[in-house]
Coordinates of all heavy atoms in Angstrom, one line a residue:
A27 N -41.1 137.5 59.7 CA -40.9 137.1 61.1 C -40.0 135.8 61.1 O -40.4 134.8 60.6 CB -42.2 136.8 61.8
L28 N -38.9 135.9 61.8 CA -38.0 134.8 61.9 C -37.8 134.5 63.4 O -37.8 135.5 64.2 CB -36.6 135.1 61.3 CG -36.5 135.2 59.8 CD1 -35.2 135.8 59.3 CD2 -36.8 133.9 59.1
P29 N -37.5 133.3 63.8 CA -37.3 133.0 65.2 C -36.0 133.7 65.7 O -35.0 133.6 65.0 CB -37.1 131.5 65.3 CG -36.7 131.1 63.9 CD -37.4 132.1 63.0
P30 N -36.0 134.3 66.9 CA -34.8 134.9 67.4 C -33.7 133.8 67.7 O -34.1 132.7 67.9 CB -35.2 135.7 68.6 CG -36.5 135.0 69.0 CD -37.1 134.5 67.8
F31 N -32.5 134.2 67.8 CA -31.4 133.3 68.1 C -30.3 134.0 68.9 O -30.2 135.2 68.9 CB -30.8 132.6 66.9 CG -30.0 133.6 66.0 CD1 -28.6 133.8 66.3 CD2 -30.5 134.3 65.0 CE1 -27.8 134.7 65.6 CE2 -29.8 135.2 64.2 CZ -28.4 135.3 64.5
D32 N -29.6 133.2 69.7 CA -28.4 133.7 70.4 C -27.3 132.6 70.3 O -27.6 131.4 70.6 CB -28.7 133.9 71.9 CG -29.4 135.1 72.2 OD1 -28.8 136.2 72.1 OD2 -30.6 135.0 72.5
V33 N -26.1 132.9 69.8 CA -25.1 131.9 69.6 C -23.7 132.5 70.1 O -23.5 133.7 69.9 CB -24.9 131.4 68.2 CG1 -26.2 130.6 67.7 CG2 -24.7 132.5 67.2
D34 N -22.9 131.6 70.7 CA -21.6 132.0 71.0 C -20.7 131.6 69.9 O -20.9 130.5 69.3 CB -21.2 131.3 72.3 CG -21.9 131.8 73.6 OD1 -22.2 133.0 73.6 OD2 -22.2 131.0 74.5
V35 N -19.7 132.4 69.6 CA -18.7 132.1 68.5 C -17.4 132.5 69.0 O -17.2 133.1 70.1 CB -19.1 132.9 67.2 CG1 -20.4 132.4 66.7 CG2 -19.1 134.4 67.4
D36 N -16.4 132.2 68.2 CA -15.0 132.7 68.5 C -14.4 133.1 67.2 O -13.6 132.4 66.6 CB -14.2 131.6 69.2 CG -12.8 132.1 69.6 OD1 -12.6 133.3 69.8 OD2 -11.9 131.2 69.8
W37 N -14.8 134.3 66.7 CA -14.3 134.8 65.4 C -13.2 135.8 65.7 O -13.4 136.9 66.3 CB -15.5 135.5 64.7 CG -16.6 134.7 64.3 CD1 -16.7 133.3 64.4 CD2 -17.8 135.1 63.6 NE1 -17.9 132.9 63.9 CE2 -18.6 134.0 63.4 CE3 -18.2 136.3 63.1 CZ2 -19.8 134.0 62.7 CZ3 -19.4 136.4 62.5 CH2 -20.2 135.2 62.2
Q38 N -12.0 135.4 65.3 CA -10.8 136.1 65.5 C -10.4 137.0 64.3 O -10.7 136.6 63.2 CB -9.6 135.2 65.8 CG -9.8 134.4 67.1 CD -9.8 135.2 68.3 OE1 -9.1 136.2 68.4 NE2 -10.6 134.8 69.3
P39 N -9.8 138.2 64.5 CA -9.4 139.0 63.4 C -8.3 138.4 62.6 O -7.5 137.6 63.1 CB -8.9 140.3 64.1 CG -9.5 140.3 65.5 CD -9.6 138.8 65.8
G40 N -8.3 138.8 61.3 CA -7.3 138.3 60.4 C -7.8 137.1 59.6 O -8.8 136.5 59.9
G41 N -7.1 136.8 58.5 CA -7.4 135.7 57.6 C -8.5 136.0 56.6 O -8.9 137.2 56.4
D42 N -8.8 135.0 55.8 CA -9.7 135.1 54.7 C -11.1 134.7 55.2 O -11.4 134.5 56.3 CB -9.2 134.3 53.6 CG -9.7 134.8 52.2 OD1 -10.5 135.8 52.2 OD2 -9.4 134.2 51.2
W43 N -12.0 134.6 54.2 CA -13.4 134.2 54.5 C -13.5 132.9 55.2 O -12.7 132.0 54.8 CB -14.2 134.2 53.2 CG -14.6 135.5 52.7 CD1 -14.0 136.1 51.6 CD2 -15.6 136.4 53.1 NE1 -14.7 137.3 51.4 CE2 -15.6 137.5 52.3 CE3 -16.6 136.3 54.2 CZ2 -16.5 138.6 52.5 CZ3 -17.4 137.4 54.3 CH2 -17.4 138.5 53.5
H44 N -14.3 132.7 56.2 CA -14.6 131.5 56.8 C -16.0 131.1 56.5 O -17.0 131.8 56.8 CB -14.5 131.6 58.4 CG -13.1 132.0 58.8 ND1 -12.2 131.2 59.1 CD2 -12.6 133.3 59.0 CE1 -11.1 131.8 59.5 NE2 -11.3 133.1 59.4
T45 N -16.2 129.9 55.8 CA -17.5 129.4 55.5 C -18.1 128.6 56.7 O -17.4 127.9 57.3 CB -17.4 128.5 54.3 OG1 -16.8 129.2 53.2 CG2 -18.8 128.0 53.9
L46 N -19.3 128.8 57.0 CA -20.0 128.3 58.2 C -20.7 127.0 57.8 O -21.2 126.8 56.7 CB -20.9 129.3 58.8 CG -20.1 130.5 59.3 CD1 -21.0 131.7 59.6 CD2 -19.3 130.1 60.6
P47 N -20.9 126.1 58.8 CA -21.6 124.8 58.6 C -23.1 125.0 58.4 O -23.7 126.1 58.9 CB -21.3 124.0 59.8 CG -20.9 125.0 60.9 CD -20.3 126.2 60.2
G48 N -23.8 124.1 57.8 CA -25.2 124.2 57.5 C -26.1 124.4 58.7 O -27.0 125.2 58.6
D49 N -25.8 123.8 59.8 CA -26.7 124.0 61.0 C -26.6 125.5 61.5 O -27.6 126.1 61.9 CB -26.4 123.0 62.1 CG -25.0 123.0 62.6 OD1 -24.1 123.5 61.9 OD2 -24.8 122.6 63.8
F50 N -25.4 126.1 61.4 CA -25.2 127.5 61.8 C -25.9 128.4 60.8 O -26.6 129.3 61.3 CB -23.7 127.8 61.8 CG -23.4 129.1 62.5 CD1 -23.1 129.3 63.8 CD2 -23.4 130.3 61.7 CE1 -22.9 130.5 64.4 CE2 -23.1 131.5 62.3 CZ -22.9 131.6 63.6
I51 N -25.8 128.1 59.5 CA -26.5 128.9 58.5 C -28.0 128.8 58.7 O -28.7 129.9 58.7 CB -26.1 128.4 57.1 CG1 -24.6 128.7 56.9 CG2 -27.0 129.1 56.1 CD1 -24.1 128.0 55.6
E52 N -28.5 127.6 59.0 CA -30.0 127.5 59.2 C -30.5 128.3 60.4 O -31.5 128.9 60.3 CB -30.3 126.0 59.4 CG -31.7 125.7 59.6 CD -32.6 126.1 58.4 OE1 -32.2 126.0 57.3 OE2 -33.8 126.5 58.7
K53 N -29.7 128.3 61.5 CA -30.1 129.0 62.7 C -29.9 130.5 62.5 O -30.8 131.3 63.0 CB -29.2 128.5 63.9 CG -29.7 129.1 65.2 CD -29.0 128.4 66.3 CE -29.6 128.8 67.6 NZ -29.1 128.0 68.8
T54 N -28.8 131.0 61.9 CA -28.5 132.4 62.0 C -28.7 133.1 60.6 O -28.8 134.3 60.6 CB -27.0 132.6 62.4 OG1 -26.2 132.1 61.3 CG2 -26.7 131.9 63.7
G55 N -28.7 132.4 59.5 CA -28.7 133.0 58.2 C -27.4 133.5 57.7 O -27.3 134.1 56.7
I56 N -26.3 133.4 58.5 CA -25.0 133.8 58.2 C -24.2 132.7 57.5 O -24.1 131.6 58.1 CB -24.2 134.4 59.4 CG1 -25.0 135.6 60.0 CG2 -22.8 134.8 59.0 CD1 -24.4 136.1 61.3
T57 N -23.7 132.9 56.3 CA -23.0 131.8 55.5 C -21.5 131.9 55.6 O -20.8 130.9 55.5 CB -23.4 131.9 54.1 OG1 -23.0 133.1 53.5 CG2 -24.9 131.7 53.9
R58 N -21.0 133.1 55.8 CA -19.5 133.3 55.9 C -19.2 134.6 56.6 O -20.0 135.5 56.7 CB -18.9 133.2 54.5 CG -19.3 134.4 53.6 CD -18.7 134.2 52.2 NE -19.0 135.5 51.5 CZ -18.3 135.9 50.5 NH1 -17.2 135.2 50.1 NH2 -18.6 137.0 49.9
W59 N -17.9 134.7 57.1 CA -17.5 135.9 57.8 C -16.0 136.0 57.7 O -15.2 135.0 57.4 CB -17.9 135.8 59.3 CG -17.1 134.7 60.0 CD1 -17.4 133.4 60.1 CD2 -15.8 134.9 60.7 NE1 -16.5 132.7 60.8 CE2 -15.5 133.6 61.2 CE3 -15.0 136.0 60.9 CZ2 -14.3 133.4 61.9 CZ3 -13.8 135.7 61.6 CH2 -13.5 134.5 62.1
K60 N -15.5 137.2 57.9 CA -14.1 137.5 58.1 C -14.0 138.8 58.9 O -14.9 139.6 58.8 CB -13.3 137.6 56.8 CG -13.6 138.7 55.9 CD -12.8 138.7 54.6 CE -13.2 139.8 53.7 NZ -12.4 139.8 52.5
I61 N -12.8 139.0 59.6 CA -12.6 140.3 60.2 C -11.2 140.8 59.7 O -10.2 140.2 60.0 CB -12.5 140.1 61.8 CG1 -13.8 139.6 62.3 CG2 -12.2 141.5 62.4 CD1 -13.8 139.3 63.8
E62 N -11.3 141.8 58.9 CA -10.1 142.5 58.4 C -9.5 143.4 59.4 O -10.2 144.0 60.2 CB -10.5 143.2 57.1 CG -11.1 142.4 56.0 CD -11.5 143.2 54.8 OE1 -11.6 144.4 54.9 OE2 -11.9 142.5 53.8
V63 N -8.2 143.5 59.4 CA -7.5 144.4 60.2 C -6.8 145.5 59.4 O -5.9 145.2 58.6 CB -6.4 143.7 61.1 CG1 -5.7 144.7 62.0 CG2 -7.0 142.6 61.9
S64 N -7.3 146.7 59.5 CA -6.7 147.8 58.7 C -7.6 149.0 58.8 O -8.6 149.0 59.6 CB -6.5 147.5 57.2 OG -7.7 147.3 56.6
G65 N -7.3 150.1 58.1 CA -8.2 151.2 58.1 C -7.6 152.4 58.9 O -6.8 152.2 59.8
L66 N -8.0 153.6 58.5 CA -7.4 154.8 59.2 C -8.3 155.2 60.3 O -7.8 155.6 61.4 CB -7.3 155.9 58.1 CG -6.4 155.6 57.0 CD1 -6.5 156.8 55.9 CD2 -5.0 155.5 57.5
I67 N -9.6 155.1 60.1 CA -10.5 155.6 61.2 C -11.0 154.4 62.1 O -11.0 154.5 63.3 CB -11.8 156.2 60.6 CG1 -11.4 157.5 59.8 CG2 -12.8 156.6 61.7 CD1 -12.5 158.2 59.0
F68 N -11.3 153.3 61.4 CA -11.7 152.1 62.1 C -10.7 151.0 61.9 O -10.4 150.7 60.7 CB -13.1 151.6 61.6 CG -14.2 152.6 61.9 CD1 -14.6 153.4 60.8 CD2 -14.7 152.8 63.1 CE1 -15.6 154.4 61.0 CE2 -15.7 153.8 63.3 CZ -16.2 154.5 62.3
K69 N -10.2 150.4 62.9 CA -9.1 149.4 62.8 C -9.6 148.0 62.3 O -8.9 147.3 61.7 CB -8.4 149.2 64.1 CG -7.2 148.3 64.0 CD -6.4 148.3 65.3 CE -5.1 147.4 65.1 NZ -4.3 147.3 66.2
Y70 N -10.9 147.7 62.6 CA -11.4 146.4 62.3 C -12.7 146.5 61.4 O -13.4 147.4 61.5 CB -11.8 145.6 63.5 CG -10.6 145.4 64.4 CD1 -10.5 146.3 65.5 CD2 -9.6 144.5 64.2 CE1 -9.3 146.2 66.4 CE2 -8.5 144.4 65.0 CZ -8.4 145.3 66.1 OH -7.3 145.2 66.9
K71 N -12.8 145.5 60.5 CA -14.0 145.4 59.6 C -14.5 144.0 59.6 O -13.9 143.1 59.1 CB -13.6 145.8 58.2 CG -14.8 145.8 57.2 CD -14.3 146.3 55.8 CE -15.5 146.5 54.9 NZ -15.0 147.0 53.6
L72 N -15.6 143.8 60.3 CA -16.3 142.5 60.3 C -17.2 142.5 59.0 O -18.1 143.3 58.8 CB -17.2 142.4 61.5 CG -18.2 141.2 61.5 CD1 -17.5 139.9 61.4 CD2 -19.1 141.3 62.7
C73 N -16.9 141.5 58.2 CA -17.6 141.3 56.9 C -18.4 140.0 57.1 O -17.9 139.0 57.6 CB -16.7 141.1 55.7 SG -15.6 142.5 55.5
F74 N -19.7 140.0 56.7 CA -20.5 138.8 56.7 C -21.5 138.7 55.6 O -21.8 139.8 55.1 CB -21.2 138.6 58.1 CG -22.3 139.6 58.4 CD1 -23.6 139.3 58.2 CD2 -21.9 140.9 58.9 CE1 -24.6 140.2 58.4 CE2 -22.9 141.8 59.2 CZ -24.3 141.5 58.9
T75 N -21.9 137.5 55.3 CA -22.8 137.3 54.2 C -24.0 136.6 54.8 O -23.9 135.6 55.5 CB -22.2 136.4 53.1 OG1 -21.1 137.1 52.6 CG2 -23.2 136.3 51.9
N76 N -25.2 137.1 54.5 CA -26.4 136.5 55.1 C -27.4 136.1 54.0 O -27.4 136.6 52.9 CB -27.1 137.5 56.1 CG -27.7 138.7 55.3 OD1 -27.1 139.3 54.5 ND2 -29.0 139.0 55.7
V77 N -28.2 135.1 54.4 CA -29.3 134.6 53.5 C -30.7 134.8 54.2 O -31.7 134.3 53.6 CB -29.1 133.1 53.1 CG1 -27.8 133.0 52.2 CG2 -29.0 132.2 54.3
K78 N -30.7 135.3 55.4 CA -32.0 135.6 56.1 C -31.9 137.0 56.6 O -30.8 137.6 56.9 CB -32.1 134.7 57.3 CG -32.3 133.2 56.9 CD -32.6 132.4 58.1 CE -32.8 130.9 57.8 NZ -33.0 130.1 58.9
L79 N -33.1 137.7 56.7 CA -33.1 139.1 57.1 C -33.3 139.3 58.6 O -34.5 139.3 59.1 CB -34.3 139.7 56.3 CG -34.2 139.6 54.8 CD1 -35.4 140.2 54.1 CD2 -32.9 140.1 54.2
Y80 N -32.2 139.4 59.3 CA -32.3 139.6 60.7 C -31.7 140.9 61.1 O -30.9 141.5 60.4 CB -31.4 138.5 61.4 CG -32.0 137.2 61.7 CD1 -31.7 136.1 61.0 CD2 -32.9 137.1 62.8 CE1 -32.3 134.8 61.3 CE2 -33.5 135.9 63.1 CZ -33.2 134.8 62.4 OH -33.8 133.6 62.7
D81 N -32.1 141.4 62.3 CA -31.5 142.5 63.0 C -30.4 141.8 63.8 O -30.7 141.3 64.9 CB -32.5 143.3 63.8 CG -31.8 144.5 64.5 OD1 -30.6 144.8 64.3 OD2 -32.6 145.1 65.3
Y82 N -29.1 141.9 63.3 CA -28.0 141.2 64.0 C -27.4 142.1 65.1 O -27.2 143.3 64.8 CB -27.0 140.8 63.0 CG -27.4 139.7 62.0 CD1 -27.8 140.0 60.7 CD2 -27.4 138.4 62.4 CE1 -28.1 139.0 59.8 CE2 -27.7 137.4 61.5 CZ -28.1 137.7 60.3 OH -28.5 136.7 59.4
Q83 N -27.0 141.5 66.2 CA -26.2 142.1 67.2 C -24.9 141.3 67.4 O -25.0 140.1 67.6 CB -26.9 142.2 68.6 CG -28.1 143.0 68.6 CD -27.8 144.5 68.7 OE1 -26.8 144.9 69.2 NE2 -28.7 145.3 68.3

Side-chain angles (χ1 to χ4, degrees):
L28 293 170
F31 71 86
D32 284 285
V33 294
D34 291 325
V35 297
D36 187 20
W37 294 1
Q38 298 294 325
D42 205 358
W43 285 104
H44 300 269
T45 302
L46 295 162
D49 59 336
F50 190 92
I51 296 168
E52 181 61 31
K53 185 171 192 171
T54 67
I56 299 172
T57 61
R58 64 184 188 154
W59 68 273
K60 68 179 175 178
I61 300 175
E62 299 174 354
V63 181
S64 66
L66 299 174
I67 298 172
F68 300 102
K69 186 171 182 182
Y70 303 100
K71 182 177 186 177
L72 167 62
C73 303
F74 68 98
T75 303
N76 68 313
V77 294
K78 294 182 180 182
L79 305 179
Y80 273 106
D81 182 3
Y82 291 102
Q83 294 280 337

